[in-house]
Amino acid sequence: MKVISYKSELLEEVSILKKNQKVTGFVPTMGALHQGHISLIKCCNKECDYTIVSIFVNPTQFNDPNDYKKYPRILDTDLELLKKVKVDILFTPTLEEMYPEQDNRDFDLGELDKVMEGAHRPGHFRGVCLIVSKLFEMVQPTKAYFGEKDFQQVAVIKHLTRLMNYPVEIIPCPIIRENDGLAMSSRNMLLTKDHRQNAPLIAKTLFEATEKSKTQSVQETKDWVVRTINDNPFLQVEYFEIVDETSLKAISNWDNTSNKRGCIAVFAGNVRLIDNIRFN
Ligand code: AMP
């Protein structure tokens, strides 16, 4: 695994790959890696000749400066974990490499950034689009791998790819969970013992909601999810929406669409966790 921090060095490597017509797969991350990230890398390994991973905690996607400050940065541990899988290049740019000057670009994401994460984290998806567009232009991957854990992000990235005409295939990968059901997240390590013990209720409630949905209306199911989680003193729901998987528009009837997703954000103390589940 080559560890590269400079854009110029990365561009040299990429130009060789292009010349040799290699199928390049890309897995962008913010580090504090776990098995969710590793699953994306393994998926990439299967489908591509060459795997490039990036680790960069992107300031422009944090709407809360405190969240950016406390985001875990554990590069040494990440390097150890990455030794166990095939990674050809690890790109770990500095802030100056990614943002040599202020980038004021905006992206028309239609309605996609008006709901859920977009509504509760103003500017978040603009920051995501800024960094992903910069990384795509540098790495020039054939395929890029994103986790469905960030379900809305996948929809936004697909839109961005079309908007900017990037010749990149976006591959969504399933959510990887801890044994107790909690969706893996770099933020889980910030949870207190009490919050960690109670956090699996989020996934448990989502799974149960898919059962409830067989006999309850959309509104009843939504109310039940919010009530069940908020009844736990360690958890506070920020939003729970059941949306069409493509448009991300909230549905009011189960037969509004055949592809339905329940998406949730929950505060466990001051740590914000997200999760989602497919409804049939
Ligand atoms: P992050 O480092 O949190 O920005 O995540 C980097 C990539 O890993 C994103 O595409 C995430 O959606 C994905 N990811 C994070 N957690 C999980 C998980 N539990 N399962 C699958 N993918 C994940």
Side-chain angles (χ1 to χ4, degrees):
M1 180 172 79
K2 274 189 195 162
V3 183
I4 294 179
S5 301
Y6 295 103
K7 182 178 154 180
S8 54
E9 209 181 322
L10 177 72
L11 290 178
E12 253 171 56
E13 292 288 337
V14 168
S15 75
I16 297 169
L17 292 175
K18 290 275 141 198
K19 224 179 274 165
N20 294 335
Q21 298 195 324
K22 295 288 182 203
V23 175
T24 308
F26 179 41
V27 182
T29 83
M30 297 205 297
L33 302 177
H34 49 68
Q35 290 305 317
H37 298 111
I38 298 300
S39 75
L40 303 189
I41 296 173
K42 285 185 175 164
C43 193
C44 179
N45 284 171
K46 269 195 210 136
E47 298 182 355
C48 303
D49 303 322
Y50 214 82
T51 297
I52 302 184
V53 175
S54 66
I55 294 181
F56 178 68
V57 183
N58 172 38
T60 61
Q61 73 186 69
F62 286 83
N63 55 308
D64 173 0
N66 208 31
D67 188 24
Y68 175 62
K69 214 163 87 191
K70 72 179 188 208
Y71 198 85
R73 292 157 172 91
I74 46 168
L75 187 59
D76 288 349
T77 317
D78 289 347
L79 290 171
E80 285 306 309
L81 195 58
L82 289 176
K83 278 186 191 158
K84 297 181 183 145
V85 279
K86 180 178 109 54
V87 175
D88 298 289
I89 292 178
L90 173 66
F91 184 47
T92 56
T94 58
L95 196 56
E96 291 70 33
E97 279 292 280
M98 294 315 290
Y99 293 101
E101 66 241 357
Q102 207 166 340
D103 188 335
N104 294 320
R105 279 179 301 155
D106 210 349
F107 301 85
D108 182 1
L109 300 171
E111 297 300 305
L112 292 180
D113 65 340
K114 308 283 183 293
V115 295
M116 302 193 291
E117 292 301 284
H120 288 90
R121 301 184 68 189
H124 168 65
F125 285 122
R126 179 181 166 266
V128 168
C129 288
L130 277 178
I131 196 65
V132 170
S133 66
K134 283 169 183 283
L135 288 168
F136 276 9
E137 282 159 25
M138 291 179 198
V139 177
Q140 299 169 54
T142 322
K143 301 181 182 210
Y145 296 80
F146 291 88
E148 286 188 336
K149 151 87 178 353
D150 299 273
F151 191 80
Q152 191 170 4
Q153 175 170 275
V154 176
V156 165
I157 301 292
K158 281 183 177 167
H159 182 92
L160 173 77
T161 306
R162 285 192 301 271
L163 186 74
M164 306 295 283
N165 290 308
Y166 293 131
V168 183
E169 189 183 346
I170 306 302
I171 315 280
C173 302
I175 302 176
I176 305 298
R177 298 179 179 280
E178 301 287 355
N179 288 336
D180 58 16
L182 178 65
M184 288 191 183
S185 164
S186 306
R187 287 190 166 88
N188 290 352
M189 68 177 71
L190 302 173
L191 294 167
T192 66
K193 197 162 160 263
D194 281 336
H195 289 108
R196 176 63 189 84
Q197 265 169 10
N198 285 276
L201 179 66
I202 304 166
K204 182 170 177 280
T205 307
L206 293 184
F207 282 107
E208 279 179 35
T210 63
E211 290 303 314
K212 298 256 174 211
S213 70
K214 292 173 186 161
T215 53
Q216 290 188 345
S217 70
V218 171
Q219 194 57 52
E220 284 166 343
T221 307
K222 280 166 67 169
D223 291 345
W224 179 80
V225 165
V226 173
R227 211 169 47 239
T228 305
I229 295 176
N230 282 346
D231 275 350
N232 183 298
F234 293 98
L235 304 174
Q236 182 68 49
V237 175
E238 184 174 50
Y239 68 79
F240 175 59
E241 292 289 354
I242 301 177
V243 300
D244 172 77
E245 288 194 330
T246 311
S247 70
L248 303 183
K249 285 207 169 86
I251 60 162
S252 49
N253 270 305
W254 293 119
D255 51 12
N256 279 168
T257 171
S258 46
N259 299 317
K260 302 174 268 282
R261 240 337 124 149
C263 300
I264 196 162
V266 178
F267 277 99
N270 51 18
V271 181
R272 189 173 179 280
L273 302 174
I274 59 171
D275 199 347
N276 65 79
I277 195 141
R278 193 180 155 83
F279 281 81
N280 283 315

